[in-house]
Amino acid sequence: MVTIVWETWLNPGAETEGLRLTREIWSDMKSFDGYLSHHLLVDQDTAGHLFVVSQWRSRAEADRVKEQYAGSETVRKLTPLLARPRGRWVLSEDRATQA
């Protein structure tokens, strides 16, 4: 299993539409092979700052979906609302810390 974290910064005034589109993206992810779950987190101190923490069966599946979905209509609508390019981190759990 792999954890993918996405960070989004939206332009001032685009927070409502950007959040709606982000929700739509992650609703769509549920239909892809390899998707397991996600949590959408909204920064309570900074408007327009979002994180999505998602779980995938493998990095290969997550990367494949990223490439397939990059040209989607929803991403096309979200892109002009971004204050900066979205950040993406691919993480795995440190098994040595588990008792």
Side-chain angles (χ1 to χ4, degrees), residues 5-11 14-15 17-23 25-26 39-43 46-53 75 77-89:
V5 177
W6 285 91
E7 180 182 33
T8 301
W9 291 89
L10 298 163
N11 287 319
E15 297 89 355
E17 181 65 2
L19 179 58
R20 184 190 73 75
L21 290 167
T22 300
R23 287 176 178 147
I25 288 169
W26 288 95
H39 296 282
L40 173 56
L41 307 171
V42 179
D43 188 333
T46 307
H49 189 205
L50 311 173
F51 290 91
V52 175
V53 179
V75 171
K77 289 178 182 177
L78 178 64
T79 300
L81 305 180
L82 300 176
R84 61 182 86 156
R86 291 182 299 154
R88 180 181 185 251
W89 295 268

